[in-house]
Amino acid sequence: MSNAMYNKMWHQTQEALNSLLDKESESTTEPRRNQVLVFQMLATFYIKYLQIFRNLENVYDQIVHPQKRLLIRKILDGVMGRILELKNEMVELELTEFHYFDDVLQDLKLAPQQLDIPIPKYFLKEKLEVIKGRERILAQILADSRLDVDEKKSSVKSMPLEEAVKLIQVAERARQGRLRAMFMKQIFRQEYRAKQAKILSEKVVDLEAAALQIQKVWRGFRQYKKTKKQREDEMMFLGMNPPPLFNEVSATMMQAEKVTSLRNEVQTKHEEKYREALVTIKDDLKLVEGPDIKDNLQDQIRHWFIECRNLTGTFPDYPNAEEGGSAVIFSNKTPQQEEDEGWKMSPSVFLPAMEEGNNVYKDVWKNRDESWNFPQDYDPELIRQEKREELESEIRIQVDELMRQELKNLKLAVNREKEQPLKAGKKKGDKKKNKGTKGKKDKDLTPDRTLESLYTELVEEGLLIRAPNVNLSDYIGEYSYLGTTLRQVSIEPMPSLLDVRQLIALYGILPLGSAVVHERAPLVKSLLLAGPSGVGKKMLVHAICTETGANLFNLSAANIAGKYPGKSGLQMMLHVVFKVARQLQPSVVWVGDTEKTFYKKVPSAERMIEPKRLKKQLPKILRLLKPSDRILIVGTTRRPFDAELQSFCKVYQKIILVPRPDYASRFVLWKQIIQRNGGVITNALNVSCLAKVSDGFTQGHIVQVVKGVLTDRRIHRQSYKPLMAVEFITALASMNPVYQEEEESFKNWYSKTPMGKKRALALTGGITEKEKGKGEKKKQKGNKEKKKK
C-alpha cells in the first residue's frame, strides 16, 4: 500500500471519528432510563471505536510523515482510553465482565472477528532495543549463575560404562537380526515368484478375458477419480471447501511484507530528520526573527502602559511571572468565559483530547495541499509556526524583566511612586504551603544499591523470571454466537475463550502498553484468572508480558518459600521487587496458585513454606501503586474455593473466570494444534467428531494428546497413511476431563464474589443499583416501625 493510500485511510477514519464524537455529544444531553437501550447505545459506540482504533493503529504503524504521526498517536491513545471507559460503563450497567454483541453486530453488518482488540505495534517497536538489551542481560546473568546449565544437566541422566556397552550390544544385535530377516524375506519372495511363473506357464491364457479385466479396473479407477474431482469442485463452488493453495502465502503478500519493513526504515529516517529540524529551524528563527519579536513585544507593553495611564490616571501593576507575566494582559479570556468553560466538563477524560486532536486535523491536515511533499517528509512551515510561539514565550520572559524595570522607572519619574515590598510576604506564604504539602515518603531501603545489582539479585533468587515468547493471538478459541439470545431468555452463557482474550487485552495489555492510557483510564491494578487446570491461565500471563515487553516477577507462595526470611526480609524482598518493577516498567507481578496466599486453613504439608506470607502485604502494595506506575498484579488459581473470600476479593480488583473450551473453540483448537505440530488435516480426519468427543477436556489436554500422537515417525508416514480421529481418541481416553460438577463449583464460587452477588441481585430483582439502595432504606425504616409497634 502506498503513502497516498494510508493518507486516504487516515482521512476516512478521521471522518468516522468526527461523526462519532458528534453522536457522543448528542447522547450525553439525552437522559435515558431503559437499560436495554442504554446498553445498545454503549455497545454501538464501543464497537465503532474499535473499528476506528484498528484503522488508526494500522495508519500510525505505516504512515511515514513525522508530524502526522504525532497527531495520530495522540488520537490513538484517546480512542484506546475511551474504549476502556465504555467497557467500564458496560460492566457497571450489566454487572458482569462479559458482554455479548450479537444483535448490534448484525445491525452494523460486521463479523464477530471485528471485536478482536488490536494490540498497537508501537508497544514493542518503540522500545525494541531496550527489550533486546534486557534479554541479553537476563541471559548473561542466568548463564553466569548457571541456572540454565543446571536445568539442562538435570534432564540428562548419567549411566555406568557396563550398562552403556550392554545397551550398544543389544542395539547392534537387533540391527543384525533385522538385516538377516530382510535377506531371508527377499529369498522367499524370489522362490514364490518362480513357483507362480511355473503355474501360469502351464495354464492357457485367455487374452480377451485378461483385457476385459484390466479395462474394468481402469474404468472404475478413472470414474472414482472423476467423481471425487467433481465433488471437490462442487464443495468449492458452494464455499464449503477452500480453493487450492488457499493457505499458501502468495508472492504479493511477500512483496507487501518487504514494503512494510522498508516503510519502517523510512519512518525512522524521517523521525530523525524531524528532530534535527526542530533544533535548526528554532535557531534560524532566533537569529532572523528574534530581534523583531522582542521589539514588537516591548512596543505592545509600552502602549499598554500609556493606555492605562490615560484611562485611570495611574500606571498599572505589572503581572508576576507566576501569573503568566505580560501574556495575561493580551489574552482574550474574561473571568466569565473561564467560568463557562469549567462547567462544560465532560464525564470522559479522553473525549476532550480526541476532540482537540480532531480539531487540529480539521484546521491543519484536512484540506492541506501536500502535492509538493511526495516522500512525506516533515513540513518546515508547521515547525516554524510551533517554534515561533515557543520562541515568543522565551523572549517574553526576558522582555518582562526589562519592562518591569522600565515601569518602575516610569512610576518614579512621573508619579514619584515607590513599589511596596510584596515579595517578603509571598515567601512566607510559600513556606507555609510547602509545610502543608510535605507528606510522608516511603523509605528507600536500598539507597546505595544500583538498579543493575538489584536486577541481578532478583534474577539469581528466581523472583525475576524469563517469560516464554507467547502472543495473545496464540490463545486460540471462538466467539460465543448466542450470548445475547441466551441472556434474553434468562440463561447466563458460559464465556468463550475469545471473550476471555478480549478482557486480557483490555485490562492487561492496553494499559500496560500505553502510559497515557494507564494514567487516565479506569485503573486496574490487579487481575485474577480463575479456572480449572489446563485452560491457559499461565499462557495469558506470558502473553501480557510478550505483547507489552513487560518484566515478569514471580511471587508465588512456592517460589518465595525460604527466600528473604523473617519480617524484615519480607519487607526487603517486596521493596526490591517493586523498586525494580517501577524503574523498568511496564511490569507484571505474578502470584501463581494465589489461593495459597489466602488459605482458609493451611494444610499441614504446606506449613513449612509459609504460604500466607503475602496476605497482609498485598493490600498495602496495591494502595501504594499510583496511576503512573505501570505495574499489574496478576493472580492465577485453579482452586479459588480454598481461599478466604473476603480478603481474596479485596486484593483482586477484576476476577475473570476462564472456562473450559466450548464445541466451537475445541473445533478450532484441534485443527490449529494438529497443524502447528506438523500434522496435515485431510478428509480422513473428522475434526468435528474430535471436537464433540473431547467435551470437558481443556486446551492442555488437547496439546498433550496431539504431541503424544504426532511423533516424528507418524508425521513422516502421513503421506500414505493419513491421520484419523481414532488415534487421538485412544490417547484422550486415558485422561480425566473437567467434570460438570467442577465447572459448577467455579460458577457457585463466582456467584459469591462482589460482582457475582450484584449480578445475581440484578437478575432476581430486575432493579437498578440506585433503586436497590432505596429499597434497602425502605426495608430498614419498615423494620424500625415494626419494632416500635
Side-chain angles (χ1 to χ4, degrees):
M1 217 189 258
S2 64
N3 285 325
M5 287 296 286
Y6 280 108
N7 275 319
K8 190 179 178 184
M9 190 192 283
W10 180 40
H11 291 310
Q12 286 170 346
T13 309
Q14 282 293 155
E15 290 302 317
L17 179 64
N18 187 44
S19 63
L20 195 53
L21 288 171
D22 289 344
K23 281 178 189 170
E24 279 244 60
S25 60
E26 285 169 23
S27 63
T28 50
T29 55
E30 295 172 20
R32 298 185 185 193
R33 289 180 185 178
N34 188 328
Q35 190 174 323
V36 177
L37 290 175
V38 170
F39 177 76
Q40 281 190 334
M41 180 191 76
L42 288 171
T44 308
F45 284 150
Y46 174 80
I47 292 165
K48 285 185 175 178
Y49 272 119
L50 267 183
Q51 310 316 307
I52 288 165
F53 176 24
R54 184 172 286 106
N55 290 338
L56 275 180
E57 195 282 316
N58 196 5
V59 168
Y60 180 71
D61 184 54
Q62 289 301 303
I63 217 161
V64 295
H65 197 297
Q67 287 146 304
K68 285 180 185 174
R69 292 186 85 239
L70 284 171
L71 178 61
I72 294 165
R73 171 68 176 271
K74 185 183 179 180
I75 299 167
L76 179 62
D77 284 342
V79 170
M80 274 196 276
R82 188 65 189 137
I83 286 167
L84 293 178
E85 283 180 337
L86 287 167
K87 176 69 182 175
N88 194 50
E89 287 287 331
M90 289 190 286
V91 169
E92 285 178 8
L93 184 74
E94 287 209 312
L95 303 170
T96 175
E97 297 293 348
F98 297 99
H99 309 291
Y100 304 101
F101 309 111
D102 325 353
D103 48 349
V104 182
L105 284 171
Q106 276 183 327
D107 293 343
L108 297 172
K109 294 181 173 60
L110 293 170
Q113 286 71 28
Q114 298 291 312
L115 289 173
D116 271 344
I117 312 288
I119 296 162
K121 295 174 199 73
Y122 81 79
F123 286 179
L124 295 176
K125 214 171 170 184
E126 290 183 3
K127 52 181 182 181
L128 201 61
E129 292 304 312
V130 176
I131 293 165
K132 281 181 180 174
R134 202 193 301 148
E135 280 177 359
R136 280 197 295 271
I137 294 162
L138 184 58
Q140 189 61 48
I141 296 166
L142 290 169
D144 292 347
S145 58
R146 297 194 173 181
L147 290 169
D148 276 4
V149 178
D150 292 344
E151 282 171 21
K152 285 173 189 172
K153 276 185 180 175
S154 63
S155 62
V156 181
K157 290 178 182 177
S158 58
M159 190 185 283
L161 184 67
E162 292 91 359
E163 272 188 49
V165 171
K166 196 176 178 182
L167 198 68
I168 293 165
Q169 283 177 342
V170 168
E172 179 57 25
R173 283 172 187 155
R175 189 184 70 81
Q176 287 178 7
R178 281 197 300 274
L179 281 173
R180 200 178 296 112
M182 233 164 105
F183 184 62
M184 294 302 291
K185 196 176 180 182
Q186 282 172 356
I187 292 168
F188 171 75
R189 278 182 177 170
Q190 279 176 357
E191 287 176 355
Y192 179 75
R193 279 197 290 270
K195 276 181 188 176
Q196 289 294 108
K198 271 185 185 179
I199 294 161
L200 284 169
S201 62
E202 287 169 7
K203 286 182 181 177
V204 179
V205 179
D206 186 351
L207 290 173
E208 282 185 13
L212 194 66
Q213 189 65 30
I214 291 164
Q215 280 177 350
K216 272 183 184 177
V217 172
W218 168 247
R219 280 176 181 164
F221 175 73
R222 196 177 166 198
Q223 189 57 43
Y224 164 74
K225 285 280 182 189
K226 197 176 177 183
T227 309
K228 192 182 175 186
K229 180 78 173 68
Q230 282 175 342
R231 180 165 175 74
E232 282 173 3
D233 290 346
E234 187 184 5
M235 293 297 274
M236 270 189 271
F237 175 73
L238 293 169
M240 300 293 283
N241 277 355
L245 308 174
F246 179 73
N247 293 320
E248 287 195 18
V249 181
S250 66
T252 316
M253 289 298 288
M254 287 167 81
Q255 182 61 29
E257 280 178 21
K258 280 182 186 175
V259 171
T260 302
S261 60
L262 282 169
R263 192 177 273 112
N264 289 338
E265 287 172 25
V266 174
Q267 245 178 32
T268 316
K269 282 177 190 172
H270 285 194
E271 289 280 350
E272 284 169 9
K273 281 185 187 177
Y274 173 65
R275 281 195 213 100
E276 287 166 14
L278 287 172
V279 179
T280 54
I281 289 174
K282 188 179 177 181
D283 291 344
D284 293 346
L285 282 171
K286 209 170 193 174
L287 283 167
V288 177
E289 296 183 21
D292 292 342
I293 292 169
K294 191 176 180 181
D295 293 344
N296 287 338
L297 286 172
Q298 285 179 322
D299 290 345
Q300 280 178 352
I301 294 163
R302 281 194 194 107
H303 187 66
W304 174 62
F305 292 166
I306 296 156
E307 268 191 356
C308 285
R309 167 84 178 162
N310 292 342
L311 287 167
T312 61
T314 56
F315 286 112
D317 292 326
Y318 207 96
N320 295 325
E322 290 84 7
E323 291 169 0
S326 59
V328 177
I329 305 159
F330 304 107
S331 65
N332 296 324
K333 284 182 181 177
T334 63
Q336 185 61 43
Q337 282 175 319
E338 285 186 11
E339 197 178 300
D340 288 349
E341 204 170 283
W343 283 104
K344 284 182 185 175
M345 275 185 72
S346 168
S348 167
V349 181
F350 293 94
L351 274 175
M354 282 193 286
E355 280 164 0
E356 190 189 323
N358 194 40
N359 291 335
V360 172
Y361 163 76
K362 283 179 190 172
D363 297 343
V364 179
W365 296 109
K366 190 176 181 180
N367 301 312
R368 197 174 190 83
D369 179 24
E370 289 192 276
S371 54
W372 60 274
N373 192 6
F374 179 74
Q376 289 289 284
D377 210 337
Y378 67 86
D379 191 328
E381 189 49 47
L382 283 174
I383 298 176
R384 280 191 200 98
Q385 285 172 15
E386 185 190 323
K387 292 297 167 188
R388 208 172 267 126
E389 288 170 13
E390 204 177 291
L391 189 64
E392 190 177 308
S393 61
E394 284 174 17
I395 292 169
R396 190 182 287 279
I397 295 163
Q398 298 167 10
V399 168
D400 280 353
E401 285 176 21
L402 292 169
M403 297 312 288
R404 210 172 264 116
Q405 191 59 44
E406 194 173 305
L407 180 63
K408 197 176 178 183
N409 295 339
L410 270 170
K411 282 181 178 180
L412 280 167
V414 179
N415 297 342
R416 300 191 180 278
E417 290 176 12
K418 280 189 179 180
E419 286 193 348
Q420 291 177 355
L422 293 166
K423 287 179 183 176
K426 283 205 169 182
K427 276 184 184 174
K428 282 176 190 174
D430 289 346
K431 278 180 186 174
K432 279 180 187 175
K433 277 183 187 175
N434 289 341
K435 279 179 187 175
T437 52
K438 270 186 185 177
K440 287 181 181 178
K441 287 186 179 178
D442 298 325
K443 275 188 180 179
D444 189 355
L445 302 175
T446 52
D448 306 325
R449 296 277 300 276
T450 62
L451 187 67
E452 289 77 11
S453 70
L454 294 173
Y455 185 88
T456 307
E457 185 183 312
L458 288 174
V459 174
E460 286 172 350
E461 288 288 347
L463 296 175
L464 201 162
I465 59 172
R466 183 191 278 153
N469 198 18
V470 178
N471 292 317
L472 191 64
S473 56
D474 295 334
Y475 192 75
I476 308 157
E478 252 299 357
Y479 281 101
S480 176
Y481 294 104
L482 294 171
T484 310
T485 314
L486 289 168
R487 275 192 176 168
Q488 281 168 356
V489 292
S490 301
I491 298 169
E492 186 57 28
M494 260 318 256
S496 77
L497 300 185
L498 289 198
D499 294 324
V500 171
R501 193 168 93 178
Q502 272 189 316
L503 291 186
I504 295 298
L506 289 167
Y507 295 149
I509 293 170
L510 296 189
L512 278 183
S514 169
V516 176
V517 172
H518 194 275
E519 275 187 44
R520 302 170 74 192
L523 187 59
V524 176
K525 294 180 182 180
S526 56
L527 196 61
L528 176 69
L529 303 176
S533 182
V535 290
K537 300 183 292 295
K538 267 186 272 185
M539 182 185 179
L540 288 169
V541 175
H542 297 150
I544 294 171
C545 297
T546 304
E547 297 288 7
T548 58
N551 298 287
L552 181 59
F553 297 87
N554 183 357
L555 292 186
S556 306
N559 192 48
I560 62 170
K563 294 171 186 177
Y564 297 90
K567 196 176 178 182
S568 58
L570 181 64
Q571 232 176 341
M572 177 60 79
M573 178 183 78
L574 292 172
H575 164 75
V576 174
V577 165
F578 282 91
K579 187 178 179 179
V580 174
R582 274 192 186 93
Q583 294 289 320
L584 301 176
Q585 57 182 273
S587 297
V588 171
V589 177
W590 170 48
V591 187
D593 293 328
T594 188
E595 79 283 349
K596 292 183 179 182
T597 309
F598 300 91
Y599 263 143
K600 290 174 188 170
K601 190 182 177 185
V602 180
S604 54
E606 290 182 34
R607 275 178 195 157
M608 287 295 287
I609 67 165
E610 294 180 84
K612 293 173 81 170
R613 280 179 86 192
L614 289 179
K615 187 186 172 183
K616 288 180 182 175
Q617 300 297 326
L618 282 174
K620 290 176 187 174
I621 290 161
L622 281 169
R623 281 197 293 274
L624 290 171
L625 289 179
K626 298 167 192 166
S628 55
D629 301 326
R630 278 188 292 155
I631 299 169
L632 181 70
I633 296 172
V634 185
T636 55
T637 175
R638 55 185 137 179
R639 293 195 58 80
F641 3 91
D642 293 348
E644 264 178 51
L645 190 69
Q646 202 175 356
S647 50
F648 200 41
C649 294
K650 269 183 188 175
V651 166
Y652 292 107
Q653 201 178 337
K654 292 282 181 187
I655 297 171
I656 300 172
L657 209 58
V658 186
R660 57 185 190 173
D662 57 4
Y663 171 80
S665 293
R666 290 196 302 275
F667 186 85
V668 179
L669 274 161
W670 277 112
K671 280 182 84 169
Q672 296 224 18
I673 292 167
I674 287 169
Q675 286 168 339
R676 285 181 187 189
N677 285 279
V680 178
I681 291 171
T682 60
N683 292 336
L685 178 62
N686 191 339
V687 182
S688 180
C689 168
L690 277 176
K692 194 75 181 162
V693 169
S694 57
D695 186 11
F697 291 91
T698 63
Q699 300 96 304
H701 288 129
I702 294 170
V703 170
Q704 204 178 326
V705 165
V706 170
K707 284 185 174 175
V709 171
L710 291 178
T711 57
D712 291 342
R713 185 166 178 267
R714 185 66 190 89
I715 288 166
H716 289 308
R717 291 174 66 208
Q718 281 183 105
S719 53
Y720 55 90
K721 191 185 176 185
L723 291 169
M724 295 185 79
V726 183
E727 299 173 67
F728 298 100
I729 291 165
T730 310
L732 200 68
S734 61
M735 293 179 177
N736 288 322
V738 176
Y739 294 105
Q740 192 68 39
E741 290 80 9
E742 190 177 344
E743 192 166 273
E744 287 300 320
S745 63
F746 274 100
K747 280 186 181 178
N748 293 336
W749 171 80
Y750 187 75
S751 67
K752 292 170 190 171
T753 63
M755 183 70 82
K757 278 181 183 175
K758 285 178 190 175
R759 175 78 182 158
L761 273 168
L763 287 171
T764 51
I767 49 175
T768 61
E769 285 299 303
K770 285 180 184 175
E771 286 170 340
K772 276 179 210 168
K774 285 176 189 174
E776 280 168 18
K777 282 177 186 175
K778 281 179 186 176
K779 277 181 189 176
Q780 284 169 3
K781 280 182 185 176
N783 291 336
K784 281 178 186 176
E785 282 169 14
K786 278 179 188 176
K787 282 177 185 176
K788 282 176 185 176
K789 284 175 185 177

